[in-house]
Amino acid sequence: MTTQTKWVVISMLLLPFMACLGVAIAANNGVWNPYSATYTTVFVMNLIVVLVGAVISWLLLRRAEGNLARWTATLPTIGPSIYGTFWYLGRALFPAEVAPGAEYIGAPQYLIISVFGLGIIVLLLRVTGLVSRTP
């Protein structure tokens, strides 16, 4: 397993667990009272996001030989995972006043768009030759 593949696996686990941790922190702060099924729902929704990103990264990693090409191929998984982690923890500590808890349902929709967007950006970088597949 390469270094990039290890980071993809770590980011696949990072986002769902941090989303559930954000729910737990928000519940302890008294922001809202989630049901027990909320943790499972939030975990599965974020797992779907990172699984889609992992499939895109896997497809991009198959032919990438250079170090730069391999790291850019991991962006569709690692990018949304890191952004989503900070988003969930930030919203757990500083919740929205209008609808606390709504970001846990809404954020995966934006994260899946960022997965596809980063996938397209990586493809454009490869097609234009800015990031070559070979070293």
Side-chain angles (χ1 to χ4, degrees):
M1 186 181 292
T2 63
T3 304
Q4 292 84 7
T5 309
K6 288 178 188 175
W7 279 103
V8 168
V9 171
I10 289 170
S11 65
M12 283 175 58
L13 298 174
L14 180 72
L15 182 63
F17 282 118
M18 287 301 169
C20 290
L21 180 67
V23 171
I25 291 172
N28 285 337
N29 288 342
V31 175
W32 59 299
N33 296 323
Y35 298 115
S36 60
T38 303
Y39 294 99
T40 305
T41 304
V42 168
F43 186 87
V44 169
M45 286 187 336
N46 287 288
L47 186 64
I48 290 169
V49 170
V50 292
L51 285 177
V52 170
V55 168
I56 293 172
S57 291
W58 173 71
L59 290 171
L60 293 169
L61 278 169
R62 286 187 321 160
R63 295 256 178 119
E65 295 177 9
N67 201 24
L68 180 63
R70 293 188 70 76
W71 279 113
T72 54
T74 62
L75 283 178
T77 305
I78 293 175
S81 179
I82 292 172
Y83 178 74
T85 297
F86 285 119
W87 173 265
Y88 285 130
L89 291 179
R91 283 302 191 174
L93 298 173
F94 307 107
E97 296 176 8
V98 178
E103 59 268 1
Y104 297 100
I105 303 298
Q109 299 169 16
Y110 297 115
L111 291 174
I112 196 77
I113 292 171
S114 68
V115 165
F116 288 124
L118 284 171
I120 291 171
I121 289 171
V122 170
L123 282 174
L124 287 174
L125 287 173
R126 284 195 176 177
V127 168
T128 59
L130 293 173
V131 175
S132 177
R133 286 187 208 169
T134 58

